[in-house]
Amino acid sequence: MLKDTYDCARSTLAKAGVVQIVEVILNGMVLMCIVASYFVLAGFSASFASGSGFGNNYYSPFEGTELEQVRQLDQQYTILRSPLIYGGVAVSLGLGVLTMGVLLQGAKSLRKLPGRWLLLEATFSLLAAVGYCVGIGIYLHTALRINSTDTCKTRERLYARRGLTWMNCQLAGTDGAAATFACLLVIMYTASVVLALRGYREQKHYKDSQNQHQNYSDVPEYVWSGTL
């Protein structure tokens, strides 16, 4: 009975560890999508800043005042999106690192793992899930609001004149991918809450059973021998 309880609790914590590994990977995917979105949507400004590609005059469909106008619009659009890149990187990187820390701490032996840590783990996962829910809404709302500005629409028209229709004011695929991975993270963090609470309950049950077994073993034999 005691061994079954121990195995059940250990299995639950192992499942929680697997889920946390997935969370770390998904946070990395969100981070990559946000960074990729920045470079994809930066247009010519990114090339000028790095001194390569279009900015090094290897190829440019724009000339003269039109080129300068595109540069200015690219820079303005990049500034508008800067809260998305900074906020997205901070959240995904921060939660990824914290989740890795939780994973390493939870890798301890069941006997050495404090029950309070499992409650703390459940609280962290709950806050992460709620944070990503709010973050997805803010990210998409801000991205769509930026895409509806005159800066984005003017920029779209200039690029379209040269046949570069991919630079438009629709929601970028990289933004959609980041939101999709974030939705998966909400599911994973919710699962972590359930597993942490379940692990806490099973660990408590195991420790209670262990204490009862020790108390039973410590009872003097003559009490059960019918001599009293």
Short mmCIF file of all heavy atoms in Angstrom, two decimals, residues 129-188:
data_model
loop_
_atom_site.label_atom_id
_atom_site.label_comp_id
_atom_site.label_asym_id
_atom_site.label_seq_id
_atom_site.Cartn_x
_atom_site.Cartn_y
_atom_site.Cartn_z
N ALA A 129 -0.47 31.19 -16.49
CA ALA A 129 -1.59 30.95 -17.40
C ALA A 129 -2.44 32.20 -17.55
O ALA A 129 -2.80 32.60 -18.67
CB ALA A 129 -2.44 29.78 -16.89
N VAL A 130 -2.76 32.83 -16.42
CA VAL A 130 -3.56 34.06 -16.47
C VAL A 130 -2.78 35.17 -17.18
O VAL A 130 -3.35 35.92 -18.00
CB VAL A 130 -3.94 34.51 -15.04
CG1 VAL A 130 -4.63 35.87 -15.06
CG2 VAL A 130 -4.86 33.48 -14.38
N GLY A 131 -1.47 35.26 -16.89
CA GLY A 131 -0.65 36.28 -17.53
C GLY A 131 -0.60 36.12 -19.03
O GLY A 131 -0.70 37.12 -19.78
N TYR A 132 -0.49 34.89 -19.51
CA TYR A 132 -0.47 34.67 -20.96
C TYR A 132 -1.82 34.95 -21.59
O TYR A 132 -1.91 35.44 -22.72
CB TYR A 132 -0.01 33.24 -21.28
CG TYR A 132 1.45 33.18 -21.71
CD1 TYR A 132 2.39 32.48 -20.96
CD2 TYR A 132 1.89 33.82 -22.86
CE1 TYR A 132 3.73 32.43 -21.35
CE2 TYR A 132 3.21 33.78 -23.25
CZ TYR A 132 4.12 33.08 -22.49
OH TYR A 132 5.44 33.05 -22.88
N CYS A 133 -2.91 34.64 -20.87
CA CYS A 133 -4.25 34.96 -21.39
C CYS A 133 -4.38 36.46 -21.62
O CYS A 133 -4.83 36.92 -22.68
CB CYS A 133 -5.32 34.48 -20.41
SG CYS A 133 -5.74 32.74 -20.53
N VAL A 134 -3.99 37.22 -20.61
CA VAL A 134 -4.05 38.68 -20.72
C VAL A 134 -3.07 39.17 -21.78
O VAL A 134 -3.40 40.05 -22.60
CB VAL A 134 -3.74 39.33 -19.35
CG1 VAL A 134 -3.69 40.85 -19.49
CG2 VAL A 134 -4.78 38.92 -18.32
N GLY A 135 -1.88 38.59 -21.79
CA GLY A 135 -0.85 38.99 -22.75
C GLY A 135 -1.26 38.78 -24.20
O GLY A 135 -0.98 39.62 -25.06
N ILE A 136 -1.93 37.66 -24.47
CA ILE A 136 -2.39 37.39 -25.84
C ILE A 136 -3.35 38.47 -26.30
O ILE A 136 -3.25 39.00 -27.41
CB ILE A 136 -3.06 36.01 -25.92
CG1 ILE A 136 -2.03 34.89 -25.70
CG2 ILE A 136 -3.74 35.82 -27.28
CD1 ILE A 136 -2.66 33.53 -25.50
N GLY A 137 -4.30 38.81 -25.42
CA GLY A 137 -5.27 39.84 -25.77
C GLY A 137 -4.61 41.19 -26.02
O GLY A 137 -4.92 41.87 -27.01
N ILE A 138 -3.70 41.57 -25.13
CA ILE A 138 -3.02 42.87 -25.28
C ILE A 138 -2.15 42.88 -26.54
O ILE A 138 -2.15 43.86 -27.31
CB ILE A 138 -2.15 43.16 -24.04
CG1 ILE A 138 -3.05 43.36 -22.81
CG2 ILE A 138 -1.27 44.38 -24.27
CD1 ILE A 138 -2.28 43.54 -21.53
N TYR A 139 -1.43 41.79 -26.79
CA TYR A 139 -0.54 41.71 -27.95
C TYR A 139 -1.32 41.84 -29.26
O TYR A 139 -0.96 42.66 -30.12
CB TYR A 139 0.23 40.40 -27.91
CG TYR A 139 1.32 40.27 -28.96
CD1 TYR A 139 2.62 40.67 -28.69
CD2 TYR A 139 1.04 39.76 -30.22
CE1 TYR A 139 3.62 40.57 -29.65
CE2 TYR A 139 2.02 39.66 -31.19
CZ TYR A 139 3.31 40.06 -30.90
OH TYR A 139 4.29 39.96 -31.86
N LEU A 140 -2.37 41.05 -29.40
CA LEU A 140 -3.15 41.09 -30.64
C LEU A 140 -3.88 42.42 -30.81
O LEU A 140 -3.95 42.96 -31.92
CB LEU A 140 -4.15 39.93 -30.66
CG LEU A 140 -3.53 38.52 -30.75
CD1 LEU A 140 -4.62 37.47 -30.74
CD2 LEU A 140 -2.67 38.37 -32.01
N HIS A 141 -4.44 42.93 -29.71
CA HIS A 141 -5.14 44.22 -29.79
C HIS A 141 -4.17 45.33 -30.22
O HIS A 141 -4.50 46.15 -31.09
CB HIS A 141 -5.76 44.56 -28.43
CG HIS A 141 -6.35 45.93 -28.36
ND1 HIS A 141 -7.54 46.26 -28.99
CD2 HIS A 141 -5.89 47.09 -27.78
CE1 HIS A 141 -7.81 47.55 -28.78
NE2 HIS A 141 -6.82 48.07 -28.05
N THR A 142 -2.98 45.34 -29.64
CA THR A 142 -1.99 46.37 -29.98
C THR A 142 -1.52 46.22 -31.41
O THR A 142 -1.37 47.21 -32.14
CB THR A 142 -0.79 46.29 -29.02
OG1 THR A 142 -1.25 46.41 -27.67
CG2 THR A 142 0.20 47.39 -29.31
N ALA A 143 -1.26 44.97 -31.84
CA ALA A 143 -0.80 44.74 -33.21
C ALA A 143 -1.84 45.20 -34.23
O ALA A 143 -1.51 45.85 -35.23
CB ALA A 143 -0.48 43.26 -33.41
N LEU A 144 -3.11 44.87 -33.98
CA LEU A 144 -4.17 45.29 -34.91
C LEU A 144 -4.37 46.80 -34.89
O LEU A 144 -4.66 47.41 -35.93
CB LEU A 144 -5.48 44.57 -34.53
CG LEU A 144 -5.50 43.06 -34.76
CD1 LEU A 144 -6.76 42.44 -34.20
CD2 LEU A 144 -5.36 42.73 -36.25
N ARG A 145 -4.23 47.40 -33.72
CA ARG A 145 -4.36 48.87 -33.62
C ARG A 145 -3.24 49.56 -34.39
O ARG A 145 -3.48 50.56 -35.09
CB ARG A 145 -4.35 49.29 -32.16
CG ARG A 145 -4.55 50.79 -31.95
CD ARG A 145 -4.66 51.12 -30.48
NE ARG A 145 -3.49 50.68 -29.75
CZ ARG A 145 -2.36 51.35 -29.68
NH1 ARG A 145 -2.22 52.51 -30.33
NH2 ARG A 145 -1.33 50.89 -28.97
N ILE A 146 -2.01 49.04 -34.29
CA ILE A 146 -0.89 49.61 -35.03
C ILE A 146 -1.11 49.45 -36.53
O ILE A 146 -0.81 50.36 -37.32
CB ILE A 146 0.43 48.93 -34.60
CG1 ILE A 146 0.77 49.31 -33.16
CG2 ILE A 146 1.57 49.32 -35.53
CD1 ILE A 146 1.93 48.52 -32.58
N ASN A 147 -1.64 48.30 -36.93
CA ASN A 147 -1.87 48.05 -38.36
C ASN A 147 -2.98 48.91 -38.95
O ASN A 147 -3.12 49.00 -40.18
CB ASN A 147 -2.22 46.57 -38.58
CG ASN A 147 -1.02 45.67 -38.41
OD1 ASN A 147 0.11 46.15 -38.30
ND2 ASN A 147 -1.24 44.37 -38.36
N SER A 148 -3.78 49.53 -38.09
CA SER A 148 -4.86 50.40 -38.58
C SER A 148 -4.44 51.87 -38.64
O SER A 148 -5.26 52.72 -39.02
CB SER A 148 -6.09 50.25 -37.69
OG SER A 148 -5.83 50.72 -36.38
N THR A 149 -3.20 52.17 -38.29
CA THR A 149 -2.73 53.56 -38.29
C THR A 149 -2.42 54.03 -39.71
O THR A 149 -2.23 53.22 -40.64
CB THR A 149 -1.46 53.70 -37.43
OG1 THR A 149 -0.43 52.84 -37.97
CG2 THR A 149 -1.74 53.31 -35.99
N ASP A 150 -2.38 55.35 -39.87
CA ASP A 150 -2.05 55.92 -41.18
C ASP A 150 -0.62 55.56 -41.59
O ASP A 150 -0.33 55.41 -42.79
CB ASP A 150 -2.20 57.44 -41.13
CG ASP A 150 -3.65 57.88 -40.98
OD1 ASP A 150 -4.54 57.08 -41.35
OD2 ASP A 150 -3.88 58.99 -40.47
N THR A 151 0.26 55.44 -40.62
CA THR A 151 1.65 55.07 -40.92
C THR A 151 1.71 53.74 -41.63
O THR A 151 2.40 53.58 -42.66
CB THR A 151 2.47 55.01 -39.62
OG1 THR A 151 2.49 56.29 -39.01
CG2 THR A 151 3.91 54.57 -39.92
N CYS A 152 1.00 52.75 -41.10
CA CYS A 152 1.01 51.42 -41.71
C CYS A 152 0.35 51.43 -43.08
O CYS A 152 0.86 50.81 -44.02
CB CYS A 152 0.29 50.43 -40.78
SG CYS A 152 0.29 48.73 -41.39
N LYS A 153 -0.76 52.14 -43.22
CA LYS A 153 -1.48 52.15 -44.51
C LYS A 153 -0.68 52.86 -45.59
O LYS A 153 -0.65 52.41 -46.75
CB LYS A 153 -2.84 52.81 -44.31
CG LYS A 153 -3.78 51.99 -43.43
CD LYS A 153 -5.11 52.70 -43.21
CE LYS A 153 -6.03 51.86 -42.33
NZ LYS A 153 -7.33 52.54 -42.06
N THR A 154 -0.04 53.97 -45.23
CA THR A 154 0.80 54.67 -46.21
C THR A 154 1.97 53.79 -46.62
O THR A 154 2.34 53.72 -47.80
CB THR A 154 1.32 55.99 -45.62
OG1 THR A 154 0.21 56.80 -45.21
CG2 THR A 154 2.14 56.76 -46.64
N ARG A 155 2.57 53.14 -45.66
CA ARG A 155 3.69 52.23 -45.91
C ARG A 155 3.26 51.08 -46.82
O ARG A 155 3.98 50.69 -47.74
CB ARG A 155 4.18 51.71 -44.57
CG ARG A 155 5.36 50.77 -44.58
CD ARG A 155 5.78 50.55 -43.13
NE ARG A 155 6.87 49.62 -42.99
CZ ARG A 155 6.74 48.35 -42.61
NH1 ARG A 155 5.55 47.87 -42.35
NH2 ARG A 155 7.80 47.57 -42.50
N GLU A 156 2.08 50.54 -46.58
CA GLU A 156 1.56 49.45 -47.40
C GLU A 156 1.39 49.89 -48.84
O GLU A 156 1.75 49.14 -49.78
CB GLU A 156 0.21 48.98 -46.83
CG GLU A 156 -0.42 47.83 -47.62
CD GLU A 156 -1.79 47.44 -47.06
OE1 GLU A 156 -2.45 48.31 -46.45
OE2 GLU A 156 -2.18 46.28 -47.24
N ARG A 157 0.88 51.09 -49.06
CA ARG A 157 0.68 51.57 -50.42
C ARG A 157 2.00 51.76 -51.15
O ARG A 157 2.13 51.43 -52.34
CB ARG A 157 -0.10 52.90 -50.39
CG ARG A 157 -1.57 52.74 -50.04
CD ARG A 157 -2.34 54.01 -50.37
NE ARG A 157 -1.91 55.13 -49.54
CZ ARG A 157 -2.46 55.45 -48.37
NH1 ARG A 157 -3.47 54.71 -47.89
NH2 ARG A 157 -2.02 56.48 -47.68
N LEU A 158 3.01 52.28 -50.46
CA LEU A 158 4.31 52.49 -51.10
C LEU A 158 4.95 51.16 -51.51
O LEU A 158 5.50 51.04 -52.61
CB LEU A 158 5.25 53.23 -50.14
CG LEU A 158 4.99 54.73 -49.97
CD1 LEU A 158 5.90 55.31 -48.90
CD2 LEU A 158 5.18 55.46 -51.29
N TYR A 159 4.85 50.17 -50.64
CA TYR A 159 5.40 48.86 -50.98
C TYR A 159 4.61 48.20 -52.12
O TYR A 159 5.17 47.52 -52.97
CB TYR A 159 5.41 47.96 -49.75
CG TYR A 159 6.63 48.12 -48.87
CD1 TYR A 159 6.61 48.98 -47.78
CD2 TYR A 159 7.80 47.42 -49.13
CE1 TYR A 159 7.72 49.14 -46.97
CE2 TYR A 159 8.92 47.58 -48.33
CZ TYR A 159 8.87 48.44 -47.25
OH TYR A 159 9.99 48.60 -46.46
N ALA A 160 3.28 48.38 -52.10
CA ALA A 160 2.43 47.76 -53.12
C ALA A 160 2.73 48.32 -54.51
O ALA A 160 2.59 47.61 -55.52
CB ALA A 160 0.96 47.97 -52.77
N ARG A 161 3.12 49.58 -54.59
CA ARG A 161 3.46 50.18 -55.88
C ARG A 161 4.61 49.44 -56.57
O ARG A 161 4.70 49.40 -57.79
CB ARG A 161 3.87 51.65 -55.70
CG ARG A 161 2.74 52.59 -55.36
CD ARG A 161 3.30 53.99 -55.13
NE ARG A 161 2.29 54.89 -54.60
CZ ARG A 161 2.55 56.13 -54.19
NH1 ARG A 161 3.79 56.60 -54.26
NH2 ARG A 161 1.59 56.88 -53.71
N ARG A 162 5.50 48.86 -55.75
CA ARG A 162 6.65 48.14 -56.28
C ARG A 162 6.42 46.62 -56.30
O ARG A 162 7.37 45.86 -56.47
CB ARG A 162 7.90 48.45 -55.44
CG ARG A 162 8.24 49.94 -55.41
CD ARG A 162 8.59 50.46 -56.79
NE ARG A 162 8.90 51.89 -56.77
CZ ARG A 162 9.29 52.56 -57.84
NH1 ARG A 162 9.40 51.95 -59.01
NH2 ARG A 162 9.54 53.87 -57.75
N GLY A 163 5.18 46.23 -56.11
CA GLY A 163 4.85 44.81 -56.17
C GLY A 163 5.15 44.04 -54.90
O GLY A 163 5.04 42.81 -54.87
N LEU A 164 5.53 44.74 -53.81
CA LEU A 164 5.85 44.08 -52.54
C LEU A 164 4.59 44.02 -51.68
O LEU A 164 4.47 44.68 -50.65
CB LEU A 164 6.97 44.84 -51.82
CG LEU A 164 8.25 45.03 -52.63
CD1 LEU A 164 9.26 45.90 -51.88
CD2 LEU A 164 8.87 43.67 -52.94
N THR A 165 3.65 43.21 -52.13
CA THR A 165 2.34 43.15 -51.46
C THR A 165 2.38 42.41 -50.13
O THR A 165 1.42 42.46 -49.37
CB THR A 165 1.31 42.47 -52.38
OG1 THR A 165 1.80 41.17 -52.76
CG2 THR A 165 1.08 43.29 -53.63
N TRP A 166 3.47 41.70 -49.85
CA TRP A 166 3.58 40.98 -48.58
C TRP A 166 3.74 41.92 -47.39
O TRP A 166 3.45 41.55 -46.25
CB TRP A 166 4.77 40.01 -48.62
CG TRP A 166 6.07 40.67 -48.98
CD1 TRP A 166 6.59 40.84 -50.23
CD2 TRP A 166 7.02 41.27 -48.09
NE1 TRP A 166 7.80 41.49 -50.18
CE2 TRP A 166 8.09 41.77 -48.88
CE3 TRP A 166 7.08 41.41 -46.71
CZ2 TRP A 166 9.19 42.42 -48.33
CZ3 TRP A 166 8.18 42.06 -46.15
CH2 TRP A 166 9.21 42.55 -46.96
N MET A 167 4.18 43.17 -47.67
CA MET A 167 4.33 44.16 -46.60
C MET A 167 3.01 44.92 -46.49
O MET A 167 2.83 46.00 -47.03
CB MET A 167 5.49 45.11 -46.90
CG MET A 167 5.86 46.00 -45.74
SD MET A 167 6.57 45.09 -44.36
CE MET A 167 8.24 44.81 -44.97
N ASN A 168 2.05 44.31 -45.80
CA ASN A 168 0.72 44.90 -45.71
C ASN A 168 0.33 45.13 -44.26
O ASN A 168 1.13 44.91 -43.35
CB ASN A 168 -0.31 44.00 -46.41
CG ASN A 168 -0.25 42.57 -45.91
OD1 ASN A 168 -0.30 42.31 -44.71
ND2 ASN A 168 -0.12 41.62 -46.84
N CYS A 169 -0.90 45.56 -44.07
CA CYS A 169 -1.38 45.89 -42.72
C CYS A 169 -2.26 44.81 -42.13
O CYS A 169 -3.04 45.07 -41.20
CB CYS A 169 -2.13 47.22 -42.75
SG CYS A 169 -1.06 48.64 -43.08
N GLN A 170 -2.18 43.61 -42.66
CA GLN A 170 -2.88 42.48 -42.06
C GLN A 170 -2.03 41.91 -40.92
O GLN A 170 -0.84 42.20 -40.81
CB GLN A 170 -3.14 41.40 -43.11
CG GLN A 170 -4.03 41.86 -44.25
CD GLN A 170 -4.22 40.79 -45.31
OE1 GLN A 170 -3.68 39.69 -45.19
NE2 GLN A 170 -4.97 41.11 -46.34
N LEU A 171 -2.68 41.12 -40.07
CA LEU A 171 -1.95 40.51 -38.96
C LEU A 171 -0.88 39.57 -39.53
O LEU A 171 -1.18 38.68 -40.32
CB LEU A 171 -2.90 39.74 -38.06
CG LEU A 171 -2.29 39.15 -36.78
CD1 LEU A 171 -1.86 40.27 -35.83
CD2 LEU A 171 -3.28 38.23 -36.09
N ALA A 172 0.34 39.78 -39.13
CA ALA A 172 1.45 38.99 -39.67
C ALA A 172 1.36 37.54 -39.22
O ALA A 172 0.86 37.25 -38.12
CB ALA A 172 2.78 39.59 -39.21
N GLY A 173 1.85 36.65 -40.05
CA GLY A 173 1.85 35.23 -39.69
C GLY A 173 2.67 34.93 -38.46
O GLY A 173 2.33 34.07 -37.66
N THR A 174 3.78 35.68 -38.29
CA THR A 174 4.62 35.47 -37.11
C THR A 174 3.89 35.90 -35.83
O THR A 174 4.05 35.28 -34.78
CB THR A 174 5.92 36.27 -37.25
OG1 THR A 174 5.62 37.61 -37.70
CG2 THR A 174 6.85 35.61 -38.24
N ASP A 175 3.07 36.96 -35.92
CA ASP A 175 2.27 37.37 -34.77
C ASP A 175 1.22 36.30 -34.44
O ASP A 175 0.99 35.99 -33.27
CB ASP A 175 1.57 38.70 -35.05
CG ASP A 175 2.52 39.88 -35.02
OD1 ASP A 175 3.60 39.75 -34.40
OD2 ASP A 175 2.20 40.93 -35.61
N GLY A 176 0.60 35.77 -35.49
CA GLY A 176 -0.38 34.70 -35.28
C GLY A 176 0.25 33.46 -34.68
O GLY A 176 -0.34 32.81 -33.81
N ALA A 177 1.47 33.14 -35.13
CA ALA A 177 2.17 31.97 -34.59
C ALA A 177 2.52 32.18 -33.12
O ALA A 177 2.37 31.27 -32.30
CB ALA A 177 3.44 31.71 -35.40
N ALA A 178 2.98 33.39 -32.78
CA ALA A 178 3.29 33.69 -31.38
C ALA A 178 2.05 33.55 -30.50
O ALA A 178 2.12 32.98 -29.40
CB ALA A 178 3.86 35.10 -31.26
N ALA A 179 0.92 34.04 -30.99
CA ALA A 179 -0.33 33.93 -30.23
C ALA A 179 -0.77 32.47 -30.09
O ALA A 179 -1.29 32.06 -29.05
CB ALA A 179 -1.43 34.75 -30.91
N THR A 180 -0.55 31.68 -31.14
CA THR A 180 -0.92 30.25 -31.10
C THR A 180 -0.09 29.50 -30.06
O THR A 180 -0.62 28.73 -29.25
CB THR A 180 -0.72 29.61 -32.48
OG1 THR A 180 -1.55 30.29 -33.44
CG2 THR A 180 -1.11 28.13 -32.44
N PHE A 181 1.21 29.72 -30.07
CA PHE A 181 2.08 29.08 -29.08
C PHE A 181 1.73 29.55 -27.66
O PHE A 181 1.80 28.78 -26.70
CB PHE A 181 3.55 29.35 -29.38
CG PHE A 181 4.07 28.62 -30.58
CD1 PHE A 181 4.67 29.29 -31.63
CD2 PHE A 181 3.98 27.23 -30.65
CE1 PHE A 181 5.16 28.60 -32.74
CE2 PHE A 181 4.46 26.53 -31.76
CZ PHE A 181 5.05 27.22 -32.79
N ALA A 182 1.35 30.81 -27.54
CA ALA A 182 0.95 31.33 -26.23
C ALA A 182 -0.33 30.65 -25.74
O ALA A 182 -0.47 30.37 -24.55
CB ALA A 182 0.77 32.85 -26.30
N CYS A 183 -1.26 30.39 -26.66
CA CYS A 183 -2.49 29.67 -26.29
C CYS A 183 -2.16 28.26 -25.80
O CYS A 183 -2.76 27.77 -24.83
CB CYS A 183 -3.44 29.61 -27.48
SG CYS A 183 -4.23 31.18 -27.90
N LEU A 184 -1.22 27.62 -26.47
CA LEU A 184 -0.79 26.29 -26.03
C LEU A 184 -0.15 26.37 -24.64
O LEU A 184 -0.32 25.46 -23.81
CB LEU A 184 0.20 25.69 -27.03
CG LEU A 184 -0.36 25.33 -28.41
CD1 LEU A 184 0.76 24.85 -29.33
CD2 LEU A 184 -1.44 24.26 -28.29
N LEU A 185 0.56 27.46 -24.38
CA LEU A 185 1.17 27.65 -23.07
C LEU A 185 0.11 27.80 -21.98
O LEU A 185 0.30 27.33 -20.85
CB LEU A 185 2.09 28.87 -23.08
CG LEU A 185 3.53 28.59 -23.53
CD1 LEU A 185 4.27 29.89 -23.81
CD2 LEU A 185 4.27 27.78 -22.49
N VAL A 186 -0.98 28.48 -22.30
CA VAL A 186 -2.07 28.60 -21.33
C VAL A 186 -2.58 27.21 -20.94
O VAL A 186 -2.81 26.91 -19.76
CB VAL A 186 -3.22 29.46 -21.90
CG1 VAL A 186 -4.43 29.43 -20.96
CG2 VAL A 186 -2.76 30.90 -22.10
N ILE A 187 -2.73 26.35 -21.94
CA ILE A 187 -3.19 24.98 -21.69
C ILE A 187 -2.17 24.22 -20.85
O ILE A 187 -2.52 23.52 -19.89
CB ILE A 187 -3.44 24.25 -23.02
CG1 ILE A 187 -4.56 24.95 -23.80
CG2 ILE A 187 -3.81 22.79 -22.77
CD1 ILE A 187 -4.78 24.39 -25.19
N MET A 188 -0.89 24.36 -21.20
CA MET A 188 0.16 23.64 -20.47
C MET A 188 0.27 24.12 -19.02
O MET A 188 0.41 23.30 -18.10
CB MET A 188 1.50 23.83 -21.18
CG MET A 188 1.63 23.14 -22.53
SD MET A 188 1.59 21.33 -22.42
CE MET A 188 -0.10 21.02 -22.95
#
